[in-house]
Amino acid sequence: MGMVVGHKLWNLSRSHQVFCVTHLPQLAVFGDQHYQVQKLVDKGRTLTRVEPLEGESRLLELSQMLGEVGEGTLRSAHELLQTARQMVKETKK
């Protein structure tokens, strides 16, 4: 189900700006850009850090979204990325 929604959001983003905050890796794999948002507390102040993710860091974040990072979640994250790329490629034809 998440892959279907992610693909629909990707299609929508071809003609509209889409900003999606999600904990679902099945949605995140469709993003043209992927950011990690962290909430930090330092000396009683709440701070937010936003970091762009690409390549290996994106794969690690997707893996973490799936569960504890390990061989299985890394493989699943890679497969999700490949599936999303294939779905996008087929849509562009």
Side-chain angles (χ1 to χ4, degrees):
M1 182 65 139
M3 293 295 280
V4 172
V5 173
H7 191 239
K8 287 182 183 283
L9 285 171
W10 180 86
N11 277 323
L12 182 64
S13 74
R14 300 305 95 191
S15 59
H16 297 79
Q17 184 175 15
V18 176
F19 182 86
C20 182
V21 178
T22 185
H23 293 274
L24 295 175
Q26 296 87 347
L27 294 182
V29 293
F30 282 96
D32 292 329
Q33 289 136 15
H34 189 158
Y35 297 89
Q36 179 187 55
V37 179
Q38 290 182 327
K39 177 181 153 184
L40 308 165
V41 179
D42 184 29
K43 298 177 186 172
R45 290 195 62 185
T46 301
L47 307 170
T48 303
R49 182 170 61 188
V50 180
E51 184 176 325
L53 301 173
E54 295 179 5
E56 189 69 24
S57 63
R58 184 177 189 192
L59 187 65
L60 284 171
E61 179 65 15
L62 291 166
S63 177
Q64 188 174 38
M65 292 169 82
L66 288 164
E68 186 175 334
V69 176
E71 188 178 317
T73 56
L74 285 167
R75 184 174 47 251
S76 293
H78 181 72
E79 289 172 3
L80 282 174
L81 278 169
Q82 293 300 330
T83 300
R85 288 179 184 146
Q86 185 63 36
M87 290 173 76
V88 164
K89 185 178 176 182
E90 290 173 6
T91 302
K92 289 182 177 181
K93 289 182 182 179

